[in-house]
Amino acid sequence: MRLSFFSGFLIAVLAAGPSTSASAPHSGVPLGQSTDLSARIVDGKADVNGVAYHYLLAAGGPKTVVLLHGWGTTSYMWRFVMPQLVARGYTVLAPDLRGLGDTAKPAAGYEKAAIAEDIRALVNQLNLGPVVNLVGHDMGGMVAYSYAAQHPGEVTTLAIVDVPLPGIEPWNELIQGPRTWHFRFHSVRDVPEMLIAGRELEYLKWFHNAEGVNTRAFDTEADEVYGRSYAQPGALRAGFEYYRAFPRDEEQNKAFAKHKLTMPVLGISGSGGLASMYEGHLRHVAENVRAVVVEGSGHWVPEEQPAAVTRALIEFLPPAY
């Protein structure tokens, strides 16, 4: 496996040390001391359930943390959080989800429970399991919940970042509100692809700004990475299939929620995102819930305020050794 541009960027970020400038695009980014990760964070490809999955992996101690991104981003979104977990001795896996980033883009299979089986198969193929700690943002949070609900004995901890779970109260209320207009738009067959194709960069820049508070987190480099990713053939369709699968996700989650999760669950929300309502939402599906509301952040919490997310995860995760 080769060292990625992404990994090299992480090394440079860590070497720069914590930022104290008032004009810095992040709050306290990143935490910790400089660490040489040049031989540790690597790219990989693996065939999983017939889909070529791209992933980033850093092998560390015996505890594995799986980081799952959402729509509008790729595994690149963990560029500030991932190295801090690696520096503390965790083995960290950050895949591009089915259809997104540099993972292949099949026509079907975008129900979150099905994607959870992809991730579980990837974990086992890489000999990182069977027991893991899951962290998911946005669609990745939905996938992480499905993984934990289907295989509770294989999940030590679950952290979900600023996303409502389909079918779980107050889902019906949330999806009718103005903040979730894109749920309805992205669910329409063919139309969003027709309108956005060729304008992926512009659409994502607008979308990141609209859903963010600390929008300086999305610099030119981030914009270009995401713009390139979503301009790939099939990427828009694949991304919107995540939304088109919501009806099936609702059915599956309602069935899962009949048996509440018993492992520790952490809900992280932005003050400009789901905020304080998030803890109550997650209590519908889990018995042991704690919540953190991150100030100065909208929906993109790991990118807008990565230091706060890193602190919350380090306090929540079991020790690396």
Side-chain angles (χ1 to χ4, degrees):
M1 293 188 287
R2 63 179 176 82
L3 177 68
S4 68
F5 163 80
F6 172 77
S7 303
F9 176 72
L10 293 177
I11 299 163
V13 168
L14 281 173
S19 172
T20 58
S21 170
S23 61
H26 307 284
S27 175
V29 178
L31 296 174
Q33 300 299 313
S34 175
T35 304
D36 182 7
L37 302 173
S38 60
R40 297 178 63 187
I41 298 180
V42 293
D43 289 282
K45 281 281 185 78
D47 186 270
V48 179
N49 296 333
V51 178
Y53 261 78
H54 169 257
Y55 60 86
L56 298 169
L57 176 64
K63 305 289 177 58
T64 297
V65 179
V66 181
L67 304 174
L68 303 177
H69 69 89
W71 186 86
T73 63
T74 68
S75 57
Y76 179 81
M77 74 163 294
W78 300 109
R79 62 194 177 278
F80 298 112
V81 174
M82 185 177 182
Q84 297 301 330
L85 298 177
V86 172
R88 286 161 175 79
Y90 296 99
T91 290
V92 185
L93 171 68
D96 286 339
L97 295 182
R98 173 184 284 245
L100 302 179
D102 291 324
T103 289
K105 296 155 181 61
Y110 293 93
E111 297 82 5
K112 310 311 170 291
I115 298 171
E117 294 299 334
D118 285 353
I119 302 304
R120 179 173 180 256
L122 178 62
V123 165
N124 290 327
Q125 185 171 327
L126 297 175
N127 296 314
L128 302 178
V131 180
V132 297
N133 299 275
L134 297 175
V135 182
H137 173 255
D138 190 77
M139 296 295 178
M142 297 181 185
V143 172
Y145 169 66
S146 292
Y147 190 132
Q150 293 177 103
H151 306 285
E154 298 177 13
V155 178
T156 303
T157 62
L158 170 66
I160 307 179
V161 186
D162 209 76
V163 68
L165 300 176
I168 305 302
E169 187 180 346
W171 172 258
N172 289 336
E173 177 183 345
L174 289 171
I175 62 175
Q176 297 303 317
R179 285 288 300 274
T180 56
W181 64 270
H182 58 289
F183 284 21
R184 300 181 290 279
F185 174 55
H186 292 174
S187 294
V188 178
R189 182 68 60 187
D190 297 331
V191 173
E193 290 95 323
M194 177 179 64
L195 296 177
I196 299 169
R199 303 178 181 88
E200 295 87 356
L201 175 60
E202 291 79 6
Y203 185 67
L204 288 172
K205 287 172 68 174
W206 180 90
F207 198 86
H208 291 149
N209 180 68
E211 291 295 317
V213 171
N214 179 20
T215 54
R216 292 175 297 167
F218 293 93
D219 57 16
T220 300
E221 185 172 88
D223 288 338
E224 290 177 351
V225 168
Y226 294 139
R228 177 197 68 81
S229 294
Y230 283 81
Q232 294 182 66
L236 282 181
R237 176 196 48 76
F240 297 145
E241 289 298 324
Y242 278 80
Y243 294 87
R244 294 163 187 161
F246 279 170
R248 179 58 178 151
D249 296 335
E250 291 182 38
E251 295 176 3
Q252 292 173 325
N253 285 350
K254 288 176 181 177
F256 294 153
K258 293 178 181 179
H259 303 282
K260 285 191 174 184
L261 302 177
T262 57
M263 78 284 292
V265 173
L266 173 66
I268 302 176
S269 59
S271 59
L274 292 174
S276 60
M277 64 79 62
Y278 204 38
E279 181 175 0
H281 176 63
L282 294 179
R283 289 194 181 280
H284 290 295
V285 300
E287 296 177 355
N288 183 4
V289 178
R290 71 176 76 170
V292 174
V293 177
V294 178
E295 296 298 326
S297 181
H299 175 62
W300 318 101
V301 198
E303 292 178 278
E304 294 185 59
Q305 300 294 344
V309 171
T310 301
R311 289 191 191 97
L313 290 176
I314 290 169
E315 292 174 0
F316 174 69
L317 291 168
Y321 294 97

